């Protein structure tokens, strides 16, 4: 993809977004859209950053257009169809109930299997802290933006599910 695409899209305007979700089944799409609405309601002035990459489709929310300022994200694995609700700087936020997964240097996430299992009240607290942490990382107030949806990358090749154990002959 050449260049970054900026466009205004409210939580109710989903036509363009649904194009990115087309490879996924209706249950995954519904769960992702529900999580997106959850974040949009909590952080209506944040910017939505979209990464349609080889391994995953990811949506991140940031007070700027920079991935390093992302405070939370939704990612769907192309082969696993796992849905992660993640925190880009998850290692820097409190997780008193130890619900966040991940052992890396920074990213932490919750594996979301259904709406009913998603700990909304707990995640709201984490999002609030993650957002404050993200804002503290912004060193130049001129970088702050509000309410943009920004397509950051679109990979021309996407990972596909492997054949179910069948060898090519």
């Amino acid at each position: 993809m050449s260049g970054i695409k900026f466009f205004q899209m409210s939580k109710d305007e989903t036509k363009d977004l649904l194009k990115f979700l087309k490879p996924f089944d209706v249950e995954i799409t519904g769960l992702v859209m529900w999580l997106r609405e959850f974040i949009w309601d909590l952080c209506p002035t944040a910017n939505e950053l979209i990464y349609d990459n080889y391994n995953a489709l990811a949506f991140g929310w940031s007070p700027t257009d920079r991935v390093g300022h992302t405070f939370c994200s939704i990612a769907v694995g192309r082969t696993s169809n796992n849905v992660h609700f993640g925190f880009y700087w998850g290692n820097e936020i409190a997780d008193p109930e130890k619900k966040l997964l991940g052992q890396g240097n920074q990213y932490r996430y919750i594996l979301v299997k259904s709406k009913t299992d998603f700990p909304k009240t707990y995640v709201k607290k984490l999002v609030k802290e993650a957002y404050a942490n993200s804002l503290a990382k912004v060193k130049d107030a001129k970088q702050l933006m509000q309410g943009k949806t920004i397509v950051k990358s679109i990979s021309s090749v996407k990972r596909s599910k492997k054949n179910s154990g069948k060898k090519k002959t």
Side-chain angles (χ1 to χ4, degrees):
M1 178 180 133
S2 60
I4 295 172
K5 294 182 182 179
F6 289 82
F7 53 98
Q8 201 77 23
M9 183 166 57
S10 73
K11 75 175 187 180
D12 298 322
E13 295 174 45
T14 60
K15 184 180 76 165
D16 291 328
L17 191 60
L18 290 172
K19 290 177 190 173
F20 292 113
L21 288 163
K22 195 170 187 165
F24 302 99
D25 66 35
V26 69
E27 290 83 14
I28 296 293
T29 298
L31 185 57
V32 168
M33 295 304 287
W34 179 80
L35 289 167
R36 179 182 180 263
E37 187 170 326
F38 171 75
I39 288 300
W40 212 247
D41 287 345
L42 287 177
C43 306
T45 61
N47 302 293
E48 180 179 44
L49 311 179
I50 300 174
Y51 297 85
D52 187 24
N53 293 328
Y54 176 77
N55 284 320
L57 172 63
F59 305 83
W61 280 266
S62 172
T64 70
D65 66 344
R66 302 185 74 173
V67 70
H69 297 144
T70 300
F71 57 92
C72 70
S73 64
I74 300 164
V76 186
R78 294 209 181 275
T79 58
S80 67
N81 281 332
N82 284 338
V83 177
H84 288 191
F85 186 92
F87 296 93
Y88 190 77
W89 296 101
N91 65 319
E92 297 179 3
I93 60 174
D95 179 21
E97 295 181 25
K98 305 295 182 212
K99 291 184 185 277
L100 298 179
L101 304 171
Q103 300 299 318
N105 291 334
Q106 104 187 31
Y107 180 73
R108 300 290 183 273
Y109 67 96
I110 292 173
L111 184 61
V112 184
K113 296 185 181 200
S114 71
K115 295 175 189 178
T116 56
D117 292 342
F118 186 69
K120 281 177 73 171
T121 302
Y122 186 67
V123 170
K124 283 179 185 180
K125 292 175 189 173
L126 297 180
V127 167
K128 184 177 180 180
E129 183 180 346
Y131 186 73
N133 184 49
S134 176
L135 279 175
K137 293 181 181 308
V138 178
K139 301 300 180 207
D140 182 357
K142 292 177 187 170
Q143 292 179 314
L144 295 172
M145 306 166 61
Q146 289 193 348
K148 302 275 187 214
T149 294
I150 306 160
V151 178
K152 296 291 281 187
S153 71
I154 300 175
S155 295
S156 58
V157 177
K158 311 287 194 284
R159 189 172 188 175
S160 60
K161 287 190 179 229
K162 296 177 181 162
N163 288 339
S164 54
K166 295 181 181 177
K167 292 183 180 179
K168 291 182 180 177
T169 55

